[in-house]
Amino acid sequence: MNLILLALGGSIGAISRYLLGLAIMKRFPSPPFPIAMLIVNLLGAGGLGGFFGIYYKSIPLAAYEDPLYLTIGIGFFGAFTTFSTFSVEAVQLYNKKKWAKLGTYVFVSIVGSIICFLIGFKLGKLIV
């Protein structure tokens, strides 16, 4: 049953990432750096933080057997956000020697994701 929940959340997360990425790329066809995945990853980090804040009120160390965490935390948000695409896009900027854009993209992606997670977590704790 756990694998089914994981697959369900993951498929919805992957489809959501794809559709949102397309919508962002359509809205911003020539961004200065890979903005679609940046936005998706920041939203995903904030969403996962919100989930932890609402559901757990803490950051549990052992939630891997919790069906809701499997579905939403690992499945949905694991598939919605993408470190692999971030890595590809960072290497593309590196290969093009776009140092300032690379630095900005990496910094905002990593630090921004942590900040978004914390904001989501704190707001989630306030909701319920």
Side-chain angles (χ1 to χ4, degrees), residues 15 28 36 38 43 52 58 85 87-88 98 104-105 108 110 112:
I15 292 167
F28 302 100
L38 175 63
L43 286 173
F52 274 108
S58 68
T85 301
S87 300
V88 168
K98 305 234 178 195
T104 301
Y105 183 54
V108 173
I110 294 172

Side-chain angles (χ1 to χ4, degrees), residues 56-81:
Y56 293 109
K57 302 286 188 218
S58 68
I59 301 172
L61 297 176
Y64 281 83
E65 294 302 317
D66 181 342
L68 194 58
Y69 178 66
L70 284 171
T71 307
I72 296 173
I74 296 175
F76 179 82
F77 285 112
F80 183 74
T81 59

Side-chain angles (χ1 to χ4, degrees), residues 86 90 93 101-112:
F86 158 77
L93 291 171
K101 291 178 182 182
L102 171 63
T104 301
Y105 183 54
V106 169
F107 180 81
V108 173
S109 292
I110 294 172
V111 175

Side-chain angles (χ1 to χ4, degrees), residues 8-40:
L8 176 65
S11 62
I12 295 170
I15 292 167
S16 298
R17 176 183 74 213
Y18 175 73
L19 294 175
L20 182 57
L22 285 179
I24 294 168
M25 288 187 292
K26 187 175 185 179
R27 175 88 166 105
F28 302 100
S30 299
F33 55 87
I35 195 161
M37 283 305 105
L38 175 63
I39 291 171
V40 166

